[in-house]
Amino acid sequence: MDTEMDQIYQIDVGNLLAFNPNHRFSSAPSSREELVKECVTEGTKLVQAIADTLFNFPSTESVDGPLVQLPPPTTKLPREKHLPRPKPPTKWEEFALKKGIQKRKKDKIVYDETTDKFKRRHGYDRVKDDNDIPIIEAKASDEPGEDPFAKRLDDKKKRVDKQQQNRLQNLKSAAKAGALPSHVQLAASALPITGTKAQPKKLGKEELGDVAGLAATSTASGGKFDKKLPGEKPTKKQGKHHRYLPVVPRYGWVDEEKEQTNKVLGKLLSKHSHEILNVGKAINMYNDKKEKKKSGRSDKLKPKKDITKKKPYANKAK
Amino acid sequence: MMEIRTPKTHKAKRVLEKRAPKLVENGKKTLILHGTKTSATLSSVLMELYRLKKGGAIKYSRRNENIRPFESGGETSLEFFSQKTDCSIFAYGSHTKKRPDNLVLGRMYDHHVYDLIEVGIDNFKSLLSFSYDKKIAPHEGSKPFICFTGEGFENVPELKQLKEVLTDLFRGEVVDNLNLTGLDRAYICSAISPTKVFLTHCAIKLKKSGTIVPRIELVEVGPSMDLVIRRNRLPNEGLRKEAMKSSKDKPKKKVKNVDQDDVLGKRGRIFIPEQEVGKTPLPDKSKGVKRERREGKLKKKNKEEGSASKKHKESE
């Protein structure tokens, strides 16, 4: 759009973008509203310029309204992702190229000579099904004890596994070239064997302390007298911590052992002793003990007596 | 050991294919999030930006403490989010004493930070504060007009970058066909000073004029704000070149003299140069000239003479 001031706008119709590089805003803005008005008027001019070209395009009528074919955008913007990389040829493709093998289209329906019918190649009631073979003729190279049917299945399994391996190798080489197909992901299913780039999980300070403490409990004194490195903190309360009362009470101090026993007695003989002591349970335990003593052996070691079984010579010996 | 994982459902497969790198890409999605602190203006800016870009934006509402776009280690979270949500543009808002009402607009290439530009927001007017006739309100997801005014966008490198980022942000999807009745919004960006850009969002009113082209009238509807340029980071040259590469740079070599016909199939044309019969060099097959023939002939002659003389002798 040329005017007297020779204003040429840079218009990119594909993006509905217009740029006016020639307008100068006054460095001392009059007021906020005036500035806003000025911006909007300039914007209107730009939009009008784009609309001029846009509405003059040949339009086709559609249900929603006139459709216009937009030209591709001219401003170059950076891509979001890299361009798709070419896939390296698979092992079979390389071999086929070398040998000059052409791809041939396979038919879905194939003629079956044994039954003189047209059968499908894959799926139910297929042409060469392993299960349908009634007789396998023995060859001179066959071993006498071998089952040919099982051998066939075994061979097939091996072929399938080999193909799976080949597929994995092809995908790995594609992944190396950065061209793994979008719907496939390669994931490590098991831990890598030593010698590979496996990074051991780094233990934090606290975790190390916990592990060291656990190891310390395996000593007789519970890790209390273990030699410690300079700066190592004492173990957290995981060792044995028995507090043994002094045998001879200290002069002037309370006899702690006496106090301990008095405390327990007091609780037992007090009014509220039934809350502390479960009398019923105690009686049961006492009775059980008495009975065990009578029998002389524990129940676990004694074979269980079957009362219904008759001992044939029990009374005879007398 | 490696194992191959393929999607078990069609939906998952379609999602993966959508997110894969392609020749012609989908529209860029925007990720909107904020840092530890946001001011009232900033949170409304982020909310309104999300509303403007409704179909192609994802807004995170929790605060993110470990995102510092301009620091070397502070981008990992952003890159992770970008990968998970498949967003290539992000708008990160934060409010600190040093940088009040701060908005960082950034783009990603291959889910790694490509470029960043930090702007401060001044004089923000929310879209709720504008009163207009509701009939002209722009619809969600319509393709906008984007207008830039001011020489600053050409001369100042930061404003140049901002222009590119804003185009990318507001562009949406690249379409082939456009419905002319669906044009209802425009973004106006004016460089009022070498460091300040005035951004506003307007609705379009089409008025009848004498010609096919209607007269355009803009009514301010949306948020308007001043963007003050703070920091920026340009992409490094190698990365920029790679990102700007497109498949159309080398147009597909047109195969000449071959055409496809529905009836006859693939046809080719062969051009034979003019045969100049007089000037073609002929092979030198002059029989008498060759040595072996000469000698052979001589031998034959001698033999004949010999046998002839013999015959003579015999007959005599």
Side-chain angles (χ1 to χ4, degrees):
Chain A
M1 191 178 115
D2 290 302
T3 59
E4 302 155 336
M5 292 170 76
D6 198 14
Q7 282 180 333
I8 304 171
Y9 301 147
Q10 292 174 13
I11 298 180
D12 174 8
V13 193
N15 273 332
L16 297 181
L17 178 71
F19 174 39
N20 176 6
N22 300 316
H23 187 88
R24 265 184 217 104
F25 287 94
S26 53
S27 47
S30 24
S31 82
R32 179 85 191 163
E33 288 152 355
E34 296 242 352
L35 185 67
V36 170
K37 253 190 188 174
E38 195 188 343
C39 293
V40 176
T41 35
E42 286 299 312
T44 323
K45 289 184 200 166
L46 285 167
V47 177
Q48 187 72 60
I50 307 174
D52 281 342
T53 34
L54 204 59
F55 281 83
N56 282 319
F57 280 152
S59 65
T60 52
E61 279 296 320
S62 84
V63 187
D64 307 310
L67 273 181
V68 150
Q69 190 91 8
L70 275 183
T74 51
T75 38
K76 264 192 152 185
L77 289 167
R79 279 178 67 96
E80 170 176 48
K81 291 170 189 142
H82 58 262
L83 281 164
R85 296 192 192 117
K87 213 169 68 159
T90 61
K91 283 197 89 178
W92 168 255
E93 279 172 2
E94 282 172 3
F95 178 79
L97 202 69
K98 201 173 67 168
K99 287 272 184 172
I101 301 171
Q102 302 284 39
K103 255 196 197 178
R104 282 209 197 125
K105 188 122 185 180
K106 295 192 175 119
D107 291 323
K108 281 194 186 167
I109 309 286
V110 187
Y111 184 69
D112 187 14
E113 273 135 13
T114 51
T115 56
D116 292 339
K117 273 197 291 178
F118 279 96
K119 282 193 182 174
R120 63 195 75 162
R121 188 186 286 273
H122 307 286
Y124 175 75
D125 194 29
R126 55 179 172 271
V127 170
K128 288 179 207 163
D129 197 353
D130 266 355
N131 306 342
D132 286 346
I133 304 169
I135 302 166
I136 299 177
E137 287 174 30
K139 285 189 277 182
S141 57
D142 277 347
E143 285 178 32
E146 215 182 358
D147 177 13
F149 297 97
K151 188 165 177 278
R152 268 184 91 94
L153 288 173
D154 214 21
D155 282 342
K156 177 158 187 187
K157 199 163 189 286
K158 280 190 193 150
R159 268 183 281 132
V160 168
D161 284 334
K162 186 171 185 290
Q163 178 52 31
Q164 198 52 351
Q165 288 293 346
N166 289 350
R167 181 175 174 226
L168 187 65
Q169 288 297 82
N170 286 331
L171 285 172
K172 271 193 193 168
S173 64
K176 210 171 168 189
L180 196 63
S182 60
H183 57 275
V184 176
Q185 279 177 312
L186 285 178
S189 62
L191 287 169
I193 315 163
T194 47
T196 54
K197 283 187 201 166
Q199 279 203 336
K201 198 182 172 186
K202 285 189 179 168
L203 289 171
K205 222 195 284 181
E206 288 173 43
E207 286 176 61
L208 264 174
D210 287 342
V211 172
L214 264 176
T217 52
S218 63
T219 50
S221 56
K224 200 170 171 188
F225 300 109
D226 286 347
K227 264 193 187 166
K228 291 221 182 298
L229 290 167
E232 197 180 327
K233 290 188 183 167
T235 44
K236 308 172 191 175
K237 277 196 174 184
Q238 271 169 353
K240 300 180 196 171
H241 34 261
H242 287 230
R243 185 175 167 260
Y244 293 106
L245 301 164
V247 175
V248 176
R250 271 185 262 179
Y251 177 75
W253 287 65
V254 179
D255 188 355
E256 286 161 313
E257 202 177 335
K258 197 177 176 183
E259 215 183 279
Q260 210 178 37
T261 6
N262 275 336
K263 219 179 177 180
V264 176
L265 263 175
K267 279 189 181 170
L268 282 171
L269 301 170
S270 71
K271 263 198 273 182
H272 308 287
S273 63
H274 56 272
E275 290 168 23
I276 303 163
L277 179 63
N278 188 348
V279 183
K281 199 173 181 182
I283 293 171
N284 284 336
M285 279 174 80
Y286 177 71
N287 287 338
D288 280 338
K289 236 183 178 175
K290 230 184 172 181
E291 282 175 24
K292 275 188 194 171
K293 250 191 177 174
K294 261 195 187 174
S295 59
R297 270 200 278 171
S298 75
D299 278 348
K300 283 185 186 171
L301 295 172
K302 228 178 179 178
K304 284 192 177 168
K305 269 188 177 173
D306 195 353
I307 314 164
T308 54
K309 231 184 180 180
K310 283 189 182 173
K311 279 191 189 167
Y313 304 107
N315 297 319
K316 252 199 173 182
K318 291 176 187 170
Chain B
M1 301 294 116
M2 289 246 162
E3 70 172 16
I4 304 167
R5 280 205 201 140
T6 46
K8 303 293 176 210
T9 54
H10 282 293
K11 188 169 183 184
K13 189 173 180 190
R14 273 182 271 137
V15 167
L16 282 173
E17 280 181 0
K18 196 174 181 193
R19 292 190 178 192
K22 298 176 226 176
L23 274 178
V24 178
E25 292 184 319
N26 315 328
K28 292 188 183 181
K29 285 203 278 193
T30 309
L31 179 65
I32 301 173
L33 33 57
H34 62 93
T36 9
K37 238 192 187 183
T38 30
S39 57
T41 41
L42 194 66
S43 42
S44 42
V45 166
L46 293 174
M47 191 46 143
E48 293 185 5
L49 184 62
Y50 173 63
R51 291 259 203 89
L52 289 178
K53 282 214 73 180
K54 199 56 181 293
I58 290 174
K59 184 168 188 293
Y60 279 175
S61 49
R62 297 186 80 177
R63 56 194 187 140
N64 304 287
E65 287 149 356
N66 51 354
I67 295 183
R68 284 169 224 283
F70 281 91
E71 282 170 40
S72 59
E75 309 162 331
T76 45
S77 233
L78 273 174
E79 292 179 356
F80 174 72
F81 291 147
S82 159
Q83 182 120 36
K84 279 286 167 178
T85 57
D86 197 33
C87 288
S88 335
I89 315 182
F90 66 87
Y92 169 75
S94 66
H95 177 79
T96 52
K97 213 169 183 183
K98 192 176 176 189
R99 288 181 234 273
D101 294 334
N102 200 26
L103 185 69
V104 180
L105 297 166
R107 290 183 291 181
M108 302 275 194
Y109 177 72
D110 257 351
H111 303 298
H112 293 295
V113 168
Y114 174 74
D115 70 350
L116 302 163
I117 185 153
E118 188 178 55
V119 287
I121 298 178
D122 275 347
N123 300 323
F124 173 68
K125 271 185 99 184
S126 143
L127 52 80
L128 305 160
S129 60
F130 288 94
S131 51
Y132 51 91
D133 183 16
K134 296 298 169 190
K135 286 186 206 164
I136 53 165
H139 293 100
E140 218 172 76
S142 55
K143 195 155 167 80
F145 284 97
I146 316 172
C147 306
F148 292 94
T149 317
E151 53 185 11
F153 283 121
E154 212 172 41
N155 305 331
V156 185
E158 285 91 8
L159 290 184
K160 236 184 177 175
Q161 192 194 358
L162 184 63
K163 175 168 173 274
E164 208 183 290
V165 174
L166 288 175
T167 319
D168 231 343
L169 182 68
F170 293 130
R171 179 164 78 144
E173 287 218 28
V174 182
V175 286
D176 278 336
N177 299 314
L178 185 68
N179 186 354
L180 294 174
T181 49
L183 295 167
D184 49 9
R185 58 169 88 209
Y187 291 99
I188 313 287
C189 317
S190 333
I192 45 187
S193 89
T195 52
K196 228 181 189 187
V197 171
F198 172 67
L199 170 69
T200 181
H201 173 237
C202 308
I204 296 180
K205 256 196 205 174
L206 300 166
K207 292 216 164 141
K208 278 196 180 170
S209 76
T211 57
I212 337 164
V213 184
R215 194 165 66 84
I216 305 253
E217 204 178 287
L218 294 180
V219 180
E220 263 197 282
V221 295
S224 82
M225 59 193 97
D226 278 353
L227 304 172
V228 180
I229 308 273
R230 284 180 187 158
R231 292 182 287 184
N232 75 332
R233 193 205 285 180
L234 292 163
N236 49 354
E237 265 313 300
L239 192 61
R240 202 185 80 89
K241 271 196 183 157
E242 209 198 312
M244 290 297 201
K245 253 198 271 185
S246 69
S247 60
K248 288 185 185 171
D249 281 345
K250 290 186 204 170
K252 278 189 197 169
K253 277 192 181 172
K254 201 176 171 188
V255 183
K256 287 179 157 185
N257 299 321
V258 174
D259 47 37
Q260 278 274 29
D261 203 15
D262 286 315
V263 175
L264 300 159
K266 206 170 187 183
R267 300 186 78 203
R269 290 198 284 179
I270 306 169
F271 290 96
I272 305 170
E274 208 183 291
Q275 282 181 322
E276 281 153 328
V277 185
K279 290 182 184 173
T280 41
L282 292 165
D284 190 12
K285 283 192 175 175
S286 35
K287 281 187 182 173
V289 181
K290 286 204 177 139
R291 197 179 177 187
E292 295 81 34
R293 278 206 169 242
R294 250 188 294 147
E295 288 174 356
K297 258 190 179 172
L298 274 171
K299 272 188 192 167
K300 218 179 177 182
K301 237 186 183 175
N302 294 335
K303 256 191 185 173
E304 273 183 33
E305 276 176 19
S307 58
S309 55
K310 267 189 187 171
K311 275 183 183 171
H312 254 294
K313 281 181 183 169
E314 284 173 19
S315 62
E316 273 178 27

